[in-house]
Amino acid sequence: MACSEFELIKRYFHWPSNDESIAKGVGDDCALLNIQTLGTGGEQLAVSMDTLVAGTHFPDDATAAEIASRAFCTALSDLAAMGARPLWFTLGLTLPSTNEQWLQEFSVSLKTISQHYHCALIGGDTTRGPLAVTIQVHGAVNSPLQRSRATAGDQIFVTGTLGDGAAALRLLQNKMTAQAGDGEYLKQHFYRPKAQIAAGQLLSHYIHCAIDISDGLLADLQHIANASQVDMDIQVKQLPLSPAYKNTVGAAQWQLAASGGDDYQLAFTVPASQQVKIDHLITHQQLNASAIGWVRECSSDIPQVNCYDGERALDITTRGYQHFAS
Ligand code: ADP
Ligand code: MG
């Protein structure tokens, strides 16, 4: 790497930290981490990586600050889905050119959002090429939430509201219009999705199965169904929708909320033994979540996610996220 690029890393991505788990962060060939600080309770290290490519995962005209917050929050969402506590992250940055103003805006946004989640930047790689951002997050987890742990009889819940990411995508693609306040809310959700870290950690004390909704509720529930070998029945009228979604897409338009991507909420399943506890957390506003269906025994060799309106089975054609470019 050229010296000027090393200077650039030092200027924009060297954020000294007092975190005692970090013996050495940015600056040498490797970061050095004191893993004994992970805790004495047998915590495991949770690691996940996500890449965002310009024009595919965000529009070409997204600002540097928007790209940074979206890249970080979408990567962090995977830690939330396992119930992990954020520790550190690394940053792979591919840049078409060295634009100092862009880097300044990007690094300030990334620093602000990552400090909010107590997740420290410990290293990375910087190369030249079409704009892309890769973030690898590391977290610690005691009782990981896993896709394979759903069982027949569990109730299915989701945190927050569904469809905001998909509605935002349509606004950004000019396929939809919204009133100013609603448009702002939805775009904010797209560029700064709230990774459900607190909800994931709370849930990990009581249940065993969750996933974050990145590709769309039905597509992501299908991952649970496959991994757990169960069917899942969803009541579409129970899908939680935000006021902005209802105003923009329509209060009766559950399809986009069921199949659109970019929500970064958690879907989780609750066994009968824990239902009182989870209901208590929801009633006392310690957890923002809604019941949307039930886990059933597999009715065939192939696990199914079915949608119902009351007793009526519905036919769903689109089940997953469509890339920005499509
Ligand atoms: P090497 O050539 O030995 O792989 P580099 O010269 O690429 O190392 O990186 C030097 C230091 O800067 C390393 O500590 C690396 O982790 C860090 N680094 C490089 N790019 C970034 C980045 N985009 N964000 C944070 N740290 C980075
Ligand atoms: Mg080296």
Side-chain angles (χ1 to χ4, degrees):
M1 187 206 298
C3 178
S4 65
E5 289 191 27
F6 190 70
E7 280 302 313
L8 188 148
I9 292 162
K10 215 167 140 189
R11 188 174 310 161
Y12 297 109
F13 299 111
H14 192 190
W15 311 333
S17 146
N18 298 327
D19 187 332
E20 63 181 29
S21 71
I22 305 170
K24 190 171 270 295
V26 171
D28 212 316
D29 292 314
C30 293
L32 296 173
L33 304 161
N34 296 319
I35 51 178
Q36 67 273 24
T37 59
L38 278 188
T40 51
E43 280 181 308
Q44 291 176 305
L45 189 61
V47 180
S48 171
M49 179 186 279
D50 274 300
T51 295
L52 301 189
V53 176
T56 302
H57 303 102
F58 56 85
D60 287 312
D61 62 359
T63 67
E66 289 170 339
I67 296 166
S69 60
R70 176 161 164 76
F72 182 80
C73 292
T74 57
L76 203 69
S77 176
D78 287 311
L79 290 185
M82 298 294 280
R85 164 170 73 88
L87 296 170
W88 320 295
F89 74 105
T90 54
L91 169 68
L93 202 50
T94 307
L95 298 171
S97 62
T98 307
N99 176 335
E100 300 232 358
Q101 196 191 331
W102 191 97
L103 279 161
Q104 172 71 17
E105 200 185 313
F106 181 89
S107 68
V108 167
S109 168
L110 189 63
K111 190 173 180 182
T112 306
I113 190 85
S114 60
Q115 286 182 341
H116 174 78
Y117 285 101
H118 306 291
C119 193
L121 179 61
I122 53 162
D125 193 28
T126 308
T127 53
R128 208 166 282 275
L131 179 61
V133 182
T134 296
I135 287 186
Q136 183 176 48
V137 288
H138 306 77
V141 64
N142 238 317
S143 313
L145 298 164
Q146 295 169 71
R147 299 175 180 190
S148 57
R149 301 289 299 273
T151 38
D154 289 2
Q155 193 167 15
I156 306 167
F157 289 76
V158 288
T159 60
T161 56
L162 295 172
D164 295 334
L169 189 63
R170 274 148 191 79
L171 288 182
L172 293 168
Q173 290 171 320
N174 296 316
K175 290 181 179 168
M176 222 179 239
T177 55
Q179 290 168 0
D182 293 334
E184 259 323 295
Y185 170 91
L186 295 170
K187 283 183 193 168
Q188 175 82 0
H189 180 90
F190 185 84
Y191 284 121
R192 221 182 158 95
K194 290 197 179 70
Q196 297 297 309
I197 290 291
Q201 284 181 253
L202 179 66
L203 287 168
S204 73
H205 291 111
Y206 307 109
I207 61 164
H208 304 295
C209 175
I211 193 167
D212 67 320
I213 304 170
S214 52
D215 296 337
L217 174 73
L218 299 180
D220 288 313
L221 286 181
Q222 187 69 52
H223 294 311
I224 292 184
N226 293 346
S228 300
Q229 288 293 300
V230 292
D231 283 356
M232 304 183 98
D233 292 352
I234 300 305
Q235 284 292 338
V236 297
K237 292 278 171 62
Q238 288 173 224
L239 299 185
L241 307 176
S242 68
Y245 178 96
K246 288 182 189 169
N247 293 340
T248 308
V249 185
Q253 300 299 319
W254 53 267
Q255 288 92 340
L256 193 60
S259 60
D262 289 307
D263 280 322
Y264 300 101
Q265 298 293 344
L266 301 182
F268 56 96
T269 78
V270 177
S273 62
Q274 296 297 348
Q275 260 154 24
V276 171
K277 182 70 208 176
I278 298 301
D279 287 345
H280 180 89
L281 291 174
I282 293 171
T283 310
H284 290 81
Q285 296 180 354
Q286 288 163 282
L287 179 69
N288 174 13
S290 312
I292 59 164
W294 294 91
V295 180
R296 313 268 185 218
E297 275 178 25
C298 256
S299 59
S300 70
D301 290 347
I302 302 165
Q304 309 272 350
V305 179
N306 305 304
C307 289
Y308 288 89
D309 179 1
E311 298 286 300
R312 190 161 61 94
L314 302 168
D315 187 30
I316 306 294
T317 44
T318 310
R319 279 176 182 262
Y321 169 76
Q322 292 153 6
H323 270 188
F324 195 81
S326 63

